[in-house]
Protein backbone atom coordinates (compact mmCIF):
# COMPACT_ATOMS: atom_id res chain seq x y z
CA UNK A 1 0.00 0.00 0.00
CA UNK A 2 1.36 3.38 -1.03
CA UNK A 3 2.29 5.65 1.88
CA UNK A 4 0.11 8.76 2.17
CA UNK A 5 2.03 12.03 2.16
CA UNK A 6 -0.15 14.07 4.50
CA UNK A 7 2.23 17.01 4.36
CA UNK A 8 1.83 17.33 0.59
CA UNK A 9 -1.92 16.94 0.86
CA UNK A 10 -2.09 19.72 3.44
CA UNK A 11 0.12 21.91 1.27
CA UNK A 12 -2.40 21.37 -1.51
CA UNK A 13 -5.36 22.39 0.62
CA UNK A 14 -6.50 19.00 1.95
CA UNK A 15 -6.47 18.87 5.74
CA UNK A 16 -6.76 15.54 7.52
CA UNK A 17 -9.90 15.11 9.61
CA UNK A 18 -10.32 13.20 12.86
CA UNK A 19 -12.35 10.70 10.85
CA UNK A 20 -9.88 8.30 9.23
CA UNK A 21 -9.60 8.56 5.46
CA UNK A 22 -11.41 11.89 5.20
CA UNK A 23 -10.12 15.37 4.39
CA UNK A 24 -11.53 18.88 4.61
CA UNK A 25 -10.69 20.71 1.39
CA UNK A 26 -9.85 24.38 1.65
CA UNK A 27 -10.68 26.50 -1.40
CA UNK A 28 -8.83 29.48 -2.80
CA UNK A 29 -11.20 32.43 -2.36
CA UNK A 30 -9.60 35.79 -3.14
CA UNK A 31 -11.00 38.77 -1.29
CA UNK A 32 -14.06 36.80 -0.20
CA UNK A 33 -15.52 36.84 -3.71
CA UNK A 34 -17.13 33.87 -5.46
CA UNK A 35 -19.35 33.95 -8.52
CA UNK A 36 -22.81 32.39 -8.55
CA UNK A 37 -21.49 29.70 -10.91
CA UNK A 38 -18.65 28.89 -8.53
CA UNK A 39 -21.08 28.65 -5.61
CA UNK A 40 -23.20 26.27 -7.67
CA UNK A 41 -20.20 24.05 -8.40
CA UNK A 42 -19.18 24.03 -4.73
CA UNK A 43 -22.74 23.00 -3.86
CA UNK A 44 -22.58 20.16 -6.38
CA UNK A 45 -19.21 18.90 -5.17
CA UNK A 46 -20.23 19.08 -1.50
CA UNK A 47 -23.30 16.98 -2.28
CA UNK A 48 -21.51 14.50 -4.52
CA UNK A 49 -18.27 13.97 -2.61
CA UNK A 50 -18.86 15.45 0.84
CA UNK A 51 -21.85 15.42 3.17
CA UNK A 52 -23.87 18.21 1.66
CA UNK A 53 -22.50 21.20 3.56
CA UNK A 54 -19.52 23.59 3.62
CA UNK A 55 -17.68 25.43 6.37
CA UNK A 56 -17.08 29.20 6.10
CA UNK A 57 -13.80 30.09 7.78
CA UNK A 58 -12.93 33.21 9.76
CA UNK A 59 -10.80 34.44 6.85
CA UNK A 60 -13.43 34.38 4.11
CA UNK A 61 -12.53 30.88 3.08
CA UNK A 62 -14.70 27.92 2.13
CA UNK A 63 -13.95 24.34 3.17
CA UNK A 64 -15.67 21.17 1.98
CA UNK A 65 -15.38 18.48 4.67
CA UNK A 66 -15.57 14.70 4.29
CA UNK A 67 -13.68 14.36 1.01
CA UNK A 68 -12.36 10.80 0.71
CA UNK A 69 -8.72 10.24 -0.20
CA UNK A 70 -9.65 8.32 -3.33
CA UNK A 71 -11.88 11.20 -4.53
CA UNK A 72 -9.34 14.00 -4.22
CA UNK A 73 -8.26 14.11 -7.87
CA UNK A 74 -11.87 13.93 -9.11
CA UNK A 75 -12.85 16.77 -6.76
CA UNK A 76 -9.99 18.94 -7.95
CA UNK A 77 -10.91 18.28 -11.58
CA UNK A 78 -14.60 19.14 -11.13
CA UNK A 79 -13.88 22.32 -9.17
CA UNK A 80 -11.33 23.45 -11.76
CA UNK A 81 -14.12 23.50 -14.36
CA UNK A 82 -15.54 26.49 -12.50
CA UNK A 83 -12.15 28.12 -11.98
CA UNK A 84 -11.89 27.00 -8.36
CA UNK A 85 -8.54 25.90 -6.96
CA UNK A 86 -7.48 24.40 -3.62
CA UNK A 87 -6.37 26.92 -1.00
CA UNK A 88 -2.93 27.23 0.54
CA UNK A 89 -2.14 25.71 3.92
CA UNK A 90 1.07 25.41 5.89
CA UNK A 91 4.09 27.77 5.87
CA UNK A 92 3.29 30.05 2.97
CA UNK A 93 1.28 33.13 1.97
CA UNK A 94 -2.35 32.30 2.63
CA UNK A 95 -5.49 33.42 0.81
CA UNK A 96 -5.73 37.22 0.51
CA UNK A 97 -8.71 38.62 2.40
CA UNK A 98 -10.48 41.90 1.64
CA UNK A 99 -13.66 43.85 2.33
CA UNK A 100 -15.74 45.10 -0.63
CA UNK A 101 -13.97 48.45 -0.72
CA UNK A 102 -14.74 51.50 -2.83
CA UNK A 103 -16.36 49.52 -5.67
CA UNK A 104 -19.32 48.66 -3.40
CA UNK A 105 -19.10 50.33 0.02
CA UNK A 106 -19.89 54.08 0.37
CA UNK A 107 -17.16 54.34 3.02
CA UNK A 108 -14.52 52.64 0.88
CA UNK A 109 -11.43 54.66 0.03
CA UNK A 110 -9.46 52.13 -2.04
CA UNK A 111 -10.40 49.42 -4.52
CA UNK A 112 -9.76 46.43 -2.28
CA UNK A 113 -10.89 43.82 -4.80
CA UNK A 114 -8.41 45.00 -7.41
CA UNK A 115 -5.57 45.11 -4.88
CA UNK A 116 -6.49 41.67 -3.49
CA UNK A 117 -6.37 40.15 -6.98
CA UNK A 118 -2.99 41.76 -7.63
CA UNK A 119 -1.62 40.46 -4.32
CA UNK A 120 -3.00 37.01 -5.08
CA UNK A 121 -1.22 36.89 -8.43
CA UNK A 122 2.08 38.20 -7.05
CA UNK A 123 2.43 36.59 -3.62
CA UNK A 124 -0.06 33.78 -3.06
CA UNK A 125 1.45 30.51 -1.76
CA UNK A 126 5.04 31.82 -1.63
CA UNK A 127 7.05 29.50 0.64
CA UNK A 128 7.93 31.11 4.01
CA UNK A 129 9.10 30.05 7.49
CA UNK A 130 5.48 30.04 8.74
CA UNK A 131 2.00 30.95 7.58
CA UNK A 132 1.64 34.56 6.43
CA UNK A 133 -1.67 36.39 6.22
CA UNK A 134 -2.42 39.50 4.17
CA UNK A 135 -5.65 41.41 4.78
CA UNK A 136 -6.96 44.49 2.98
CA UNK A 137 -9.57 46.83 4.43
CA UNK A 138 -11.04 49.76 2.51
CA UNK A 139 -11.25 52.44 5.17
CA UNK A 140 -10.85 53.38 8.81
CA UNK A 141 -13.90 51.33 9.79
CA UNK A 142 -11.43 48.46 9.53
CA UNK A 143 -13.90 45.67 8.77
CA UNK A 144 -11.04 43.34 7.83
CA UNK A 145 -9.06 44.23 10.99
CA UNK A 146 -5.81 45.12 9.24
CA UNK A 147 -3.78 45.05 12.47
CA UNK A 148 -4.57 41.35 13.02
CA UNK A 149 -2.68 40.26 9.90
CA UNK A 150 1.00 39.59 9.36
CA UNK A 151 0.66 42.40 6.82
CA UNK A 152 -2.46 44.54 6.85
CA UNK A 153 -3.42 47.25 4.37
CA UNK A 154 -5.94 49.95 5.18
CA UNK A 155 -7.40 52.57 2.85
CA UNK A 156 -6.65 56.09 4.06
CA UNK A 157 -7.01 59.75 3.11
CA UNK A 158 -4.60 62.57 3.84
CA UNK A 159 -6.84 65.63 4.40
CA UNK A 160 -5.95 69.20 3.44
CA UNK A 161 -8.07 72.24 4.30
CA UNK A 162 -8.79 75.12 1.90
CA UNK A 163 -9.99 78.28 3.61
CA UNK A 164 -11.59 80.00 0.63
CA UNK A 165 -14.80 77.94 0.54
CA UNK A 166 -15.05 77.12 4.25
CA UNK A 167 -18.11 78.35 6.18
CA UNK A 168 -16.74 77.17 9.55
CA UNK A 169 -19.90 75.14 10.14
CA UNK A 170 -18.05 72.82 12.54
CA UNK A 171 -19.11 69.55 10.93
CA UNK A 172 -15.53 68.39 10.30
CA UNK A 173 -14.66 68.91 13.95
CA UNK A 174 -17.80 67.08 15.05
CA UNK A 175 -17.18 63.96 12.94
CA UNK A 176 -13.44 63.64 13.64
CA UNK A 177 -13.12 60.49 15.80
CA UNK A 178 -9.79 61.50 17.34
CA UNK A 179 -10.52 65.21 17.91
CA UNK A 180 -7.62 66.11 15.64
CA UNK A 181 -9.47 69.10 14.12
CA UNK A 182 -9.85 72.38 15.99
CA UNK A 183 -11.83 75.36 14.71
CA UNK A 184 -10.98 78.92 15.64
CA UNK A 185 -14.08 80.67 14.32
CA UNK A 186 -13.04 84.03 15.71
CA UNK A 187 -9.81 84.08 13.69
CA UNK A 188 -11.30 82.06 10.82
CA UNK A 189 -8.77 79.30 11.10
CA UNK A 190 -8.82 75.50 11.24
CA UNK A 191 -5.91 73.41 12.49
CA UNK A 192 -5.38 69.66 12.27
CA UNK A 193 -3.11 67.74 14.64
CA UNK A 194 -1.28 65.35 12.33
CA UNK A 195 -0.18 63.20 15.27
CA UNK A 196 -3.80 62.54 16.15
CA UNK A 197 -5.11 62.21 12.59
CA UNK A 198 -5.83 58.59 11.58
CA UNK A 199 -6.42 59.47 7.90
CA UNK A 200 -9.98 58.16 8.08
CA UNK A 201 -11.23 60.85 5.64
CA UNK A 202 -14.44 61.62 7.51
CA UNK A 203 -13.73 65.35 7.39
CA UNK A 204 -13.41 65.14 3.60
CA UNK A 205 -16.57 63.10 3.10
CA UNK A 206 -18.69 65.21 5.45
CA UNK A 207 -17.68 68.71 4.29
CA UNK A 208 -20.70 70.36 2.59
CA UNK A 209 -18.58 72.94 0.75
CA UNK A 210 -15.66 70.69 -0.28
CA UNK A 211 -13.25 72.79 1.77
CA UNK A 212 -11.53 69.58 2.82
CA UNK A 213 -9.67 67.84 0.02
CA UNK A 214 -8.28 64.35 0.36
CA UNK A 215 -5.63 62.31 -1.37
CA UNK A 216 -6.35 58.56 -1.07
CA UNK A 217 -3.56 56.25 0.00
CA UNK A 218 -2.59 53.19 2.01
CA UNK A 219 -1.60 52.57 5.63
CA UNK A 220 0.36 49.38 6.21
CA UNK A 221 0.61 47.36 9.41
CA UNK A 222 3.19 44.69 10.16
CA UNK A 223 3.47 41.78 12.56
CA UNK A 224 -0.10 41.22 13.66
CA UNK A 225 -1.06 37.74 14.80
CA UNK A 226 -3.89 35.96 16.56
CA UNK A 227 -3.96 32.48 18.02
CA UNK A 228 -2.02 31.13 20.98
CA UNK A 229 -0.20 34.45 21.09
CA UNK A 230 -1.83 37.76 20.22
CA UNK A 231 -0.17 40.92 18.91
CA UNK A 232 -1.44 43.88 16.92
CA UNK A 233 0.44 44.98 13.84
CA UNK A 234 2.46 48.19 13.91
CA UNK A 235 2.38 51.06 11.45
CA UNK A 236 6.02 51.98 10.92
CA UNK A 237 5.76 53.78 7.57
CA UNK A 238 3.93 56.98 6.66
CA UNK A 239 0.88 56.83 4.42
CA UNK A 240 1.77 55.60 0.92
CA UNK A 241 0.07 57.02 -2.16
CA UNK A 242 1.51 54.78 -4.87
CA UNK A 243 0.14 51.25 -5.25
CA UNK A 244 3.47 50.18 -6.69
CA UNK A 245 5.14 51.42 -3.51
CA UNK A 246 2.74 49.17 -1.62
CA UNK A 247 3.77 46.20 -3.75
CA UNK A 248 7.45 47.04 -3.28
CA UNK A 249 6.91 47.05 0.48
CA UNK A 250 5.03 43.74 0.42
CA UNK A 251 7.76 42.05 -1.62
CA UNK A 252 10.47 43.50 0.64
CA UNK A 253 8.56 42.21 3.67
CA UNK A 254 8.40 38.69 2.27
CA UNK A 255 12.09 38.77 1.33
CA UNK A 256 12.97 39.95 4.84
CA UNK A 257 10.99 37.08 6.33
CA UNK A 258 12.64 34.55 4.03
CA UNK A 259 16.08 35.92 4.91
CA UNK A 260 15.77 36.25 8.67
CA UNK A 261 12.88 34.02 9.73
CA UNK A 262 13.53 30.69 11.40
CA UNK A 263 11.49 27.68 10.33
CA UNK A 264 8.31 27.59 12.38
CA UNK A 265 8.72 31.18 13.61
CA UNK A 266 5.84 33.63 13.12
CA UNK A 267 6.68 36.87 11.35
CA UNK A 268 6.04 38.98 14.47
CA UNK A 269 8.56 36.92 16.42
CA UNK A 270 11.11 37.37 13.64
CA UNK A 271 10.63 41.14 13.83
CA UNK A 272 11.05 41.15 17.60
CA UNK A 273 14.19 39.03 17.39
CA UNK A 274 15.91 40.72 14.45
CA UNK A 275 14.75 44.27 15.18
CA UNK A 276 12.06 46.62 13.90
CA UNK A 277 14.64 49.25 12.94
CA UNK A 278 16.43 46.85 10.61
CA UNK A 279 13.13 45.89 9.04
CA UNK A 280 12.07 49.52 8.60
CA UNK A 281 15.33 50.34 6.82
CA UNK A 282 14.74 47.46 4.38
CA UNK A 283 11.28 48.80 3.56
CA UNK A 284 12.48 52.37 3.10
CA UNK A 285 15.25 51.11 0.84
CA UNK A 286 12.72 49.22 -1.30
CA UNK A 287 10.59 52.33 -1.75
CA UNK A 288 13.55 54.54 -2.58
CA UNK A 289 14.85 52.03 -5.14
CA UNK A 290 11.46 52.05 -6.83
CA UNK A 291 11.48 55.85 -7.03
CA UNK A 292 15.08 55.94 -8.28
CA UNK A 293 14.25 53.47 -11.05
CA UNK A 294 11.25 55.61 -12.00
CA UNK A 295 13.31 58.81 -12.06
CA UNK A 296 15.82 57.25 -14.39
Amino acid sequence: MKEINYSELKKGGFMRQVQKGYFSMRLRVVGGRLSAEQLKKIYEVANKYGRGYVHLTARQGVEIPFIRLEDIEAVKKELSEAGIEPGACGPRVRTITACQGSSICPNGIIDTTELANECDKRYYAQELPHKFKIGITGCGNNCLKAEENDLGIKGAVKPEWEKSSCTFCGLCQAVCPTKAIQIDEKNKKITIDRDKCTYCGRCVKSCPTNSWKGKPGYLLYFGGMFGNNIALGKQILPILFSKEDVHKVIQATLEFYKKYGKQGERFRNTLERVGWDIFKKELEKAIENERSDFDE
Side-chain angles (χ1 to χ4, degrees):
M1 183 177 178
K2 186 178 179 182
E3 185 178 351
I4 301 170
N5 191 330
Y6 289 107
S7 178
E8 280 300 307
L9 285 170
K10 183 178 180 180
K11 180 180 178 180
F14 289 88
M15 297 167 290
R16 183 163 44 162
Q17 295 183 197
V18 294
Q19 296 85 1
K20 188 176 180 180
Y22 288 98
F23 296 82
S24 185
M25 180 189 187
R26 179 174 293 172
L27 305 182
R28 182 178 181 178
V29 181
V30 183
R33 178 173 289 195
L34 287 166
S35 70
E37 285 300 313
Q38 288 174 324
L39 286 171
K40 182 179 178 182
K41 177 58 70 173
I42 293 169
Y43 157 81
E44 291 172 355
V45 168
N47 274 324
K48 184 176 179 179
Y49 297 101
R51 294 195 176 173
Y53 74 94
V54 300
H55 171 69
L56 303 181
T57 74
R59 299 195 71 250
Q60 301 181 326
V62 176
E63 293 179 6
I64 307 175
F66 289 99
I67 302 297
R68 296 185 304 172
L69 178 65
E70 55 267 35
D71 291 332
I72 284 178
E73 290 305 317
V75 167
K76 287 166 64 176
K77 184 176 184 297
E78 288 199 28
L79 288 171
S80 69
E81 294 171 1
I84 304 168
E85 301 176 7
C89 299
R92 50 194 56 85
V93 177
R94 300 292 185 84
T95 298
I96 314 298
T97 60
C99 69
Q100 296 199 81
S102 61
S103 62
I104 298 292
C105 179
N107 294 314
I109 296 169
I110 60 172
D111 190 332
T112 54
T113 300
E114 181 181 70
L115 183 55
N117 286 327
E118 290 177 7
C119 289
D120 177 73
K121 290 176 183 177
R122 296 191 189 203
Y123 318 115
Y124 176 73
Q126 281 194 30
E127 300 285 335
L128 294 169
H130 207 297
K131 61 184 176 183
F132 193 93
K133 299 174 181 179
I134 299 175
I136 306 168
T137 195
C139 70
N141 288 340
N142 206 14
C143 295
L144 250 291
K145 303 175 181 63
E147 294 88 342
E148 294 183 5
N149 291 271
D150 294 281
L151 196 160
I153 304 169
K154 184 187 295 181
V157 170
K158 184 178 181 180
E160 299 291 347
W161 176 63
E162 294 180 0
K163 183 178 181 179
S164 58
S165 57
C166 183
T167 61
F168 298 91
C169 66
L171 188 55
C172 57
Q173 182 175 320
V175 300
C176 180
T178 59
K179 309 302 179 187
I181 295 174
Q182 295 297 319
I183 297 178
D184 182 352
E185 192 171 354
K186 181 180 178 181
N187 295 306
K188 300 299 180 184
K189 186 178 179 181
I190 293 181
T191 57
I192 180 167
D193 187 336
R194 296 292 179 183
D195 291 331
K196 289 184 178 180
C197 180
T198 59
Y199 302 99
C200 68
R202 291 185 184 181
C203 53
V204 177
K205 284 183 177 289
S206 66
C207 183
T209 62
N210 293 321
S211 294
W212 283 99
K213 308 294 183 184
K215 185 177 182 181
Y218 310 84
L219 295 176
L220 273 62
Y221 300 85
F222 305 91
M225 64 176 179
F226 271 63
N228 293 319
N229 295 296
I230 297 174
L232 292 178
K234 295 183 181 182
Q235 181 197 340
I236 59 174
L237 294 175
I239 184 171
L240 300 177
F241 298 106
S242 162
K243 192 161 58 171
E244 275 310 307
D245 276 353
V246 172
H247 282 301
K248 285 286 181 179
V249 168
I250 296 172
Q251 189 59 49
T253 299
L254 298 178
E255 293 301 328
F256 179 92
Y257 193 21
K258 291 174 185 177
K259 180 179 179 180
Y260 293 105
K262 296 179 179 179
Q263 199 63 34
E265 180 181 58
R266 288 299 301 271
F267 180 54
R268 175 58 172 253
N269 296 329
T270 300
L271 291 173
E272 298 287 354
R273 178 175 55 81
V274 177
W276 287 88
D277 289 344
I278 295 174
F279 176 56
K280 184 179 179 181
K281 287 178 183 176
E282 291 290 322
L283 301 186
E284 291 172 340
K285 181 181 177 183
I287 297 172
E288 287 305 314
N289 285 344
E290 159 70 13
R291 289 170 181 166
S292 297
D293 291 344
F294 181 78
D295 291 339
E296 289 175 4

